[in-house]
Amino acid sequence: HVRNGRRAAAGAGGRRHGRRVWCDGCYDMVHYGHSNQLRQARAMGDYLIVGVHTDEEIAKHKGPPVFTQEERYKMVQAIKWVDEIAPGAPYVTTLETLDKYSCDFCVHGDDITLTIDGKDTYEEVKTAGRYRECKRTQGVSTTDLVGRMLLMTKAHHSNIDEDLDYRKHTDNFGKGPKGHSPWTGVSQFLQTSQKIIQFASGKEPQPGDTIIYVAGAFDLFHVGHVDFLEKVHQLAEKPYIIAGLHFDQEVNRYKGKNYPIMNIHERTLSVLACRYVSEVVIGAPYAVTADLLDHFREPKQRGIFQLVDSGSNLTTDLIVQRIIKNRLEFEARNQKKEAKELAVLEAMRRLEEEKH
């Protein structure tokens, strides 16, 4: 991969790269839903620039982010469909921003983003005809993930409808008193082979590639994982990184509590979206066996095990702690968001009624 830093020179006001596409957002708890949005946006053009808001901007409009802007920049940069990031992008998308980065149009999911005073943040670009929509990924939202973390039971990834405790919790989480916004609600993620194909690179190892195998839970794919994979990527001239993901039961056996927060299907997409990973083994054995290495035509000699320090002290546990610490703020934030969305729906309904 051409690294982002090297490409940044062709950024603001730089030379054109065919059809340039703009996306922006907080990208606070980056999950495969965000990655899927960026994948769809990149497919609409030739070069994707992603604007990421500062901590200050997010705090003003939504409440404090879980991750710092530096962590968020690094996360977005690691998504393989992103050509360049624009740090400190304004919260409201304007034509001025699109022009500054020579972007033809911006892409956003089919949900609503509102400013602090309840306005659609994409109003200006919509009016100018420089707005495109992509499909929101069913079955995942930051709200839902936070709900899973706050719950701390083992039931959330077992898909059991009878688990009323979890259902009850998701129904209350992020809900205003009046009802249910279609954007903040929770739905079940369904894995399809099509999804995996869309996310996979489909590239076979080439002669001269160094095949490197890493394994783990890779739960709630975060900046600590990115740091680790980037370091592994730097171990060879032409690395081909295969990530082995342990099944849910296996992760639960060694991590306990309600881990993993994301099920094996969700973790597969999260890892496949990372630019440093070429292939994923879904349900890798906990112990790396000789058979497994032979399967990937690894050189027969052993003594090839290497420990890599990611240089990051971030763990899934620490993230969950950060989120639980912000629990009340999150709940208040989600209720406000829900209330704003419901107000917009109500206004839209009224407009429809007035027309008829």
Side-chain angles (χ1 to χ4, degrees), residues 125-179:
V125 289
K126 279 179 179 174
T127 310
R130 288 169 71 181
Y131 176 86
R132 305 272 187 287
E133 217 157 65
C134 65
K135 281 207 167 2
R136 209 177 151 278
T137 310
Q138 286 300 309
V140 67
S141 67
T142 304
T143 311
D144 178 34
L145 291 176
V146 173
R148 296 186 208 184
M149 285 175 236
L150 295 176
L151 193 61
M152 280 300 171
T153 75
K154 286 188 184 140
H156 74 258
H157 53 76
S158 60
N159 292 354
I160 302 171
D161 277 341
E162 295 79 56
D163 176 23
L164 293 174
D165 224 30
Y166 175 53
R167 291 279 155 233
K168 192 171 74 200
H169 186 82
T170 55
D171 285 347
N172 294 336
F173 190 77
K175 294 277 179 293
K178 280 210 217 59

Side-chain angles (χ1 to χ4, degrees), residues 64-79:
V66 177
F67 293 99
T68 66
Q69 56 205 45
E70 271 63 39
E71 289 171 328
R72 293 182 294 105
Y73 298 156
K74 186 177 266 184
M75 268 314 282
V76 175
Q77 213 148 28
I79 295 170

Side-chain angles (χ1 to χ4, degrees), residues 10-214:
R15 83 196 143 76
R16 304 260 318 169
H17 291 259
R19 182 178 272 203
R20 289 163 69 93
V21 183
W22 174 268
C23 278
D24 56 28
C26 305
Y27 300 101
D28 189 15
M29 284 175 58
V30 174
H31 50 67
Y32 60 92
H34 295 117
S35 303
N36 197 32
Q37 179 218 359
L38 298 173
R39 179 189 68 77
Q40 293 177 75
R42 180 64 173 74
M44 294 181 193
D46 307 292
Y47 192 83
L48 175 63
I49 302 175
V50 181
V52 185
H53 312 316
T54 60
D55 296 345
E56 195 184 348
E57 275 278 87
I58 297 171
K60 191 172 97 184
H61 292 274
K62 287 177 94 168
V66 177
F67 293 99
T68 66
Q69 56 205 45
E70 271 63 39
E71 289 171 328
R72 293 182 294 105
Y73 298 156
K74 186 177 266 184
M75 268 314 282
V76 175
Q77 213 148 28
I79 295 170
K80 65 184 178 189
W81 298 286
V82 175
D83 292 297
E84 187 185 321
I85 68 157
Y91 195 79
V92 176
T93 313
T94 61
L95 293 170
E96 190 189 345
T97 302
L98 294 189
D99 292 342
K100 180 182 171 186
Y101 289 92
S102 312
C103 288
D104 298 274
F105 55 85
C106 78
V107 176
H108 187 63
D110 49 3
D111 57 352
I112 286 186
T113 311
L114 303 170
T115 61
I116 193 158
D117 46 11
K119 284 206 184 78
D120 179 353
T121 54
Y122 291 93
E123 201 172 335
E124 187 180 319
V125 289
K126 279 179 179 174
T127 310
R130 288 169 71 181
Y131 176 86
R132 305 272 187 287
E133 217 157 65
C134 65
K135 281 207 167 2
R136 209 177 151 278
T137 310
Q138 286 300 309
V140 67
S141 67
T142 304
T143 311
D144 178 34
L145 291 176
V146 173
R148 296 186 208 184
M149 285 175 236
L150 295 176
L151 193 61
M152 280 300 171
T153 75
K154 286 188 184 140
H156 74 258
H157 53 76
S158 60
N159 292 354
I160 302 171
D161 277 341
E162 295 79 56
D163 176 23
L164 293 174
D165 224 30
Y166 175 53
R167 291 279 155 233
K168 192 171 74 200
H169 186 82
T170 55
D171 285 347
N172 294 336
F173 190 77
K175 294 277 179 293
K178 280 210 217 59
H180 179 67
S181 155
W183 301 299
T184 311
V186 177
S187 58
Q188 193 62 54
F189 169 70
L190 294 173
Q191 180 71 290
T192 60
S193 55
Q194 185 58 27
K195 264 274 173 321
I196 295 178
I197 290 164
Q198 287 169 342
F199 271 61
S201 72
K203 290 194 187 87
E204 297 268 316
Q206 298 304 307
D209 282 0
T210 305
I211 298 174
I212 306 169
Y213 180 74
V214 297

